Amino acid sequence: RRQRQMCIRDSYDTTSEVVLKAREDYWGESKAKNNSVTWKLVQEASDRQLLLENGDVDVALDLEDKNIATVAAKDGITVEQFASNKHLFLCLNNNVAPFDDPKVRLAIAYAIPYDDLVNEVMSGNAVRTTSVMPDNVSGHIDEEGKTYVNQDLEKAKALLAEAGYPDGFSCTMTLGNGFTDWEETAVTIQYALSQIGIEMKIDEIDRAAFLSEAANGQIPIFLNRFNPFIGDPGYLVNCLYTTSSSYNYYNYNNPEFDALYEKAEAATSTEERLAIYEEMQYIFGEDNPVIELYQYGWAYCGRDNVSGFVFYPDLTLRFANLSKG
């Protein structure tokens, strides 16, 4: 009988490493190419990079985007880059004033310098997200002014005035620590909002505390990210954007949007289903419950003597495919 697990955990230390050992009795040709793999738990990206460059590890993931080109230029290292569905978005709590006003949310969307986020914060290792659906999710459309906007500070100021905030307002972003791009994105947005009269303080807290507070649905403004590793619009919407979604931490509630989701999932043809999701993208663009910022690139960085790497959209490395020669 085929074994369900290709490997077993040999040892596990939450502070340093996990050792996985291949099952000798695994079925057929699918047996792992390695007898064992040591998965080192290294928190800092700079430390992971140094270990790779020194040859102390064979593969390193989630390196700083600004350093990917430097790593790729090193002798003995191969870097492969891929587009991903993982995206960062600015969450505006739809139950908390002034973010409960769509005009305020749209004003903030017009204030953000998206090109700076992609080119400076992410060093070009990202692309602008132009819809609620990342661009390689089925049914993605992009139409400026309807599914996304570009920076226009004058429009942003006008919308704030229409919403009753001609002089802006003050707010505090709660920022979960641990990601350099989040920190730099927050500072970039902070400056951009100051240009339209919004004074945004940044309160950076421990990531575990942030996740707990976000799940309570009480944070007024924060950054979050999600990877819909299934490139299907229903999976994405069901996780994030219906009223009852598990990760709807910003309290988006649009009955029309919810009804269209139910209709899409009951559709009897792909064409009908994607047409409904197109309509939903326009509704989302009007509501702006969150502001989509950018989609991450993903880089595999490994020593030249490692072969067998295969990219999967869930961004998880399959150790069984790798071999070292």
Side-chain angles (χ1 to χ4, degrees):
R1 186 172 65 88
R2 181 171 182 166
Q3 300 289 339
R4 289 186 176 273
Q5 291 181 310
M6 190 175 290
C7 62
I8 56 176
R9 189 177 70 191
D10 192 52
S11 64
Y12 180 30
D13 184 336
T14 57
T15 64
S16 60
E17 65 184 30
V18 179
V19 178
L20 303 174
K21 184 177 180 181
R23 298 186 71 117
E24 295 181 1
D25 57 350
Y26 193 75
W27 179 80
E29 296 180 358
S30 297
K31 182 176 179 180
K33 295 179 174 61
N34 312 286
N35 291 327
S36 66
V37 170
T38 300
W39 180 6
K40 291 187 175 295
L41 309 177
V42 181
Q43 183 173 2
E44 296 297 328
S46 58
D47 293 336
R48 296 195 294 273
Q49 179 179 337
L50 185 61
L51 288 168
L52 178 67
E53 292 176 351
N54 290 342
D56 296 322
V57 298
D58 300 301
V59 177
L61 303 178
D62 294 326
L63 302 185
E64 295 284 2
D65 291 278
K66 63 185 178 183
N67 293 333
I68 294 297
T70 300
V71 174
K74 298 286 185 180
D75 290 338
I77 294 176
T78 295
V79 173
E80 297 183 46
Q81 293 182 269
F82 303 86
S84 81
N85 286 332
K86 183 170 71 172
H87 57 293
L88 188 75
F89 45 101
L90 178 65
C91 302
L92 306 171
N93 196 321
N94 291 210
N95 282 353
V96 176
F99 307 116
D100 56 346
D101 188 331
K103 288 184 178 180
V104 170
R105 300 197 295 264
L106 185 57
I108 292 172
Y110 271 116
I112 293 174
Y114 302 96
D115 289 344
D116 290 348
L117 295 178
V118 168
N119 296 320
E120 297 179 19
V121 173
M122 297 301 293
S123 302
N125 296 312
V127 296
R128 167 76 194 281
T129 310
T130 55
S131 169
V132 61
M133 312 291 180
D135 61 14
N136 41 8
V137 169
S138 298
H140 163 86
I141 59 171
D142 58 86
E143 189 172 340
E144 185 175 354
K146 293 188 176 180
T147 63
Y148 74 100
V149 300
N150 286 315
Q151 186 184 40
D152 187 327
L153 295 179
E154 293 308 311
K155 282 187 178 180
K157 291 175 183 177
L159 283 163
L160 276 185
E162 289 177 25
Y165 299 95
D167 299 320
F169 56 84
S170 298
C171 62
T172 298
M173 170 188 281
T174 302
L175 181 69
N177 71 358
F179 301 119
T180 301
D181 72 287
W182 288 33
E183 296 169 0
E184 295 180 0
T185 293
V187 171
T188 301
I189 291 174
Q190 180 185 50
Y191 175 74
L193 294 186
S194 73
Q195 301 295 100
I196 63 170
I198 298 176
E199 181 184 352
M200 185 185 80
K201 297 179 181 179
I202 299 173
D203 180 21
E204 187 169 356
I205 65 175
D206 178 76
R207 181 149 188 81
F210 164 76
L211 292 172
S212 177
E213 288 189 25
N216 289 332
Q218 301 300 315
I219 300 178
I221 180 170
F222 60 100
L223 291 170
N224 206 359
R225 70 182 186 185
F226 186 74
N227 178 37
F229 55 86
I230 300 172
D232 180 84
Y235 173 78
L236 173 72
V237 169
N238 186 49
C239 286
L240 291 176
Y241 298 123
T242 64
T243 302
S244 60
S245 292
S246 300
Y247 306 115
N248 181 9
Y249 298 155
Y250 26 84
N251 298 303
Y252 180 45
N253 180 0
N254 184 322
E256 181 185 8
F257 189 88
D258 290 351
L260 284 171
Y261 166 71
E262 297 295 338
K263 184 179 178 181
E265 292 308 291
T268 57
S269 72
T270 299
E271 292 76 13
E272 179 189 4
R273 184 171 184 259
L274 294 185
I276 296 169
Y277 277 112
E278 179 175 335
E279 184 178 355
M280 293 169 67
Q281 289 172 76
Y282 289 129
I283 292 172
F284 195 92
E286 292 178 0
D287 289 344
N288 280 296
V290 306
I291 300 171
E292 306 289 351
L293 301 176
Y294 53 80
Q295 294 172 226
Y296 293 83
W298 191 85
Y300 163 84
C301 304
R303 304 295 303 183
D304 286 348
N305 63 340
V306 177
S307 61
F309 167 73
V310 178
F311 173 75
Y312 288 86
D314 63 2
L315 311 185
T316 299
L317 186 64
R318 270 50 169 188
F319 297 117
N321 297 329
L322 301 181
S323 59
K324 181 178 177 181

